[in-house]
Amino acid sequence: MAPLVALTLVFFVYAIGDLVATKTKALISMLLVCSIVFLIAFWCGLPATIFDDSGLAAFSSVTICMFLVHIGSTIKIRDFIQEWKTVVIVLISTLAIAFGVYFVGQFLIDRYYALVGGPCLAGGMVAYLVMKDVADAIGHNDVAVFALLVLALQAIAGVPIASKLCSREGESVLTDWKNGKYVPTMEEEKQGAFSRFKIFASVPEKYNSANLILFKVALIAMISQKIAGITGINQLIVSLIFGVIFHEIGFLDEAALTKANGFSFVIAGALCNIFSGLANTTPSMVAGMLLDLLVVLLIGIAIAAVASILAGKVFGYSWSLSLAVAITALFGFPGTYLVSREVSSAVGQTQEEQQVVMSYLMPKMVIAGVVSVSIVSGLAASIMSGWA
């Protein structure tokens, strides 16, 4: 297929996914829509080489670590300190999901399905990319496809559950606020509570060009690859951690690739790593995985409930809030923000009431999604990749 034709088709499918995700307010994820479109297209004769032909596969092999460095640059340690109780609860529940699905699920479904299903259910693209390497290493394409199904379909279960739990919690907070039992913390005070330990001075904006930002991201990605080669730790995890560190000390700009206007192309390349595994599937293969997928979802949600509610009791969280932050592992950001905003609008009758609910729910939900999807599930995947 001609390179430009292939690239046009890939971005056309991505655009369809974005459109549906926006219309459904992220209830139906872009990943799910694109997976279905590519599946049907491959079954109808779309060349399996479309991602190679488009140049995105080769591009992604170079930039995938830059993508992880970028994710790290969006994470603020200050926010983790402010919401430390949420962090601990989500840490416990996310590890429980990843390990629990494997240790329980292997008695009910294929062992490799349980192995890749646990981290993918507990997180997002980082965990998937790590586990896809496992599937490729053992030569089982169906395992990579199953991991993708978990990744694509988990939000359909996670978003409605989180929305219901947040509504219950929001009503409770609003009642406490009206009775004087809850006083919202002002955002300005929160922002100044903890400052970054900066070693590098900020580059003046007129000199802080897109090329300079991209250079710094590429440099950290290169260093990450070198460290990963020396230590044996997965390069994606090292890149993520280094992204956090170098953002905190002031070397990297916040959301670096976005600021350099390079995020869209880098994420396009990263996504092709996900969808490329669909080229060798058959309808019967996918249909045969649906029951196993349901098993993974049920086990994961049940384990998340037990682990988060028990942990929440220790820190004084209600059962609904504990499970709500735990279940963010199934959809992450921006779904965590959208759920907080929509629940606040539904529960609050006035703008002030909506702000009260939003100021309570949003920090917890967003931080929970970052901890589970971007950090803990990736670390769990890195550990479990050695169990294949």
Side-chain angles (χ1 to χ4, degrees):
M1 182 179 290
L4 191 54
V5 173
L7 188 65
T8 301
L9 289 175
V10 170
F11 277 113
F12 176 64
V13 175
Y14 288 177
I16 293 173
D18 287 337
L19 176 64
V20 175
T22 301
K23 291 289 290 184
T24 61
K25 298 180 180 179
L27 177 60
I28 301 178
S29 72
M30 179 264 198
L31 287 174
L32 175 59
V33 176
C34 290
S35 296
I36 293 173
V37 173
F38 277 124
L39 267 178
I40 296 173
F42 284 132
W43 294 343
C44 293
L46 180 70
T49 58
I50 185 172
F51 297 110
D52 291 319
D53 295 339
S54 69
L56 287 174
F59 178 71
S60 175
S61 67
V62 176
T63 59
I64 189 65
C65 286
M66 291 178 65
F67 171 64
L68 271 296
V69 171
H70 163 81
I71 292 178
S73 74
T74 65
I75 297 171
K76 301 184 185 71
I77 293 179
R78 177 188 64 213
D79 295 338
F80 289 80
I81 297 173
Q82 292 168 348
E83 294 292 345
W84 68 272
K85 292 181 180 180
T86 299
V87 170
V88 174
I89 293 171
V90 174
L91 171 66
I92 293 170
S93 61
T94 304
L95 290 176
I97 294 171
F99 296 148
V101 167
Y102 172 65
F103 286 116
V104 177
Q106 64 180 315
F107 296 106
L108 302 174
I109 61 176
D110 181 89
R111 175 179 173 270
Y112 286 121
Y113 286 5
L115 179 64
V116 300
C120 289
L121 184 67
M125 191 181 298
V126 178
Y128 170 81
L129 291 172
V130 174
M131 300 317 290
K132 184 177 184 297
D133 288 343
V134 173
D136 292 341
I138 63 177
H140 288 216
N141 183 64
D142 61 312
V143 175
V145 173
F146 183 75
L148 175 55
L149 287 178
V150 174
L151 185 69
L153 294 171
Q154 59 184 350
I156 293 180
V159 171
I161 294 173
S163 182
K164 184 67 176 178
L165 293 168
C166 283
S167 294
R168 185 182 188 280
E169 188 67 19
E171 291 172 354
S172 176
V173 167
L174 202 55
T175 299
D176 288 344
W177 175 71
K178 290 177 179 178
N179 294 332
K181 297 180 181 179
Y182 169 68
V183 178
T185 302
M186 295 301 293
E187 186 65 23
E188 293 79 10
E189 295 175 359
K190 292 171 66 179
Q191 291 293 333
F194 299 93
S195 59
R196 288 192 300 163
F197 181 68
K198 293 183 65 174
I199 297 175
F200 295 90
S202 299
V203 177
E205 282 301 316
K206 65 179 180 178
Y207 299 119
N208 197 28
S209 66
N211 286 327
L212 178 59
I213 296 172
L214 290 173
F215 160 72
K216 291 190 289 185
V217 174
L219 177 63
I220 300 306
M222 182 182 69
I223 294 172
S224 300
Q225 286 185 326
K226 297 294 184 182
I227 296 298
I230 295 172
T231 62
I233 303 174
N234 188 282
Q235 64 178 9
L236 302 178
I237 303 303
V238 177
S239 298
L240 176 67
I241 294 172
F242 275 30
V244 175
I245 293 173
F246 281 92
H247 171 237
E248 282 296 320
I249 64 177
F251 183 76
L252 291 174
D253 293 79
E254 185 173 340
L257 288 179
T258 302
K259 187 170 183 178
N261 297 315
F263 178 74
S264 295
F265 252 101
V266 172
I267 188 64
L271 288 172
C272 82
N273 282 295
I274 295 177
F275 302 126
S276 60
L278 298 174
N280 299 316
T281 63
T282 63
S284 59
M285 178 193 295
V286 174
M289 294 177 179
L290 295 181
L291 182 58
D292 294 337
L293 176 64
L294 181 62
V295 170
V296 167
L297 286 172
L298 291 176
I299 292 174
I301 292 172
I303 289 175
V306 173
S308 62
I309 292 173
L310 289 177
K313 283 185 175 297
V314 176
F315 297 108
Y317 274 27
S318 66
W319 72 267
S320 56
L321 180 60
S322 299
L323 183 52
V325 297
I327 219 72
T328 60
L330 274 65
F331 55 98
F333 187 86
T336 48
Y337 173 78
L338 293 173
V339 167
S340 303
R341 187 181 66 181
E342 290 165 9
V343 167
S344 301
S345 298
V347 173
Q349 299 300 311
T350 66
Q351 187 172 357
E352 185 180 14
E353 291 180 355
Q354 293 173 7
Q355 184 58 40
V356 168
V357 177
M358 184 76 163
S359 66
Y360 180 80
L361 288 178
M362 191 270 290
K364 294 176 174 58
M365 293 294 286
V366 171
I367 288 297
V370 171
V371 172
S372 59
V373 174
S374 298
I375 300 176
V376 181
S377 61
L379 294 174
S382 183
I383 294 170
M384 296 173 68
S385 64
W387 299 354

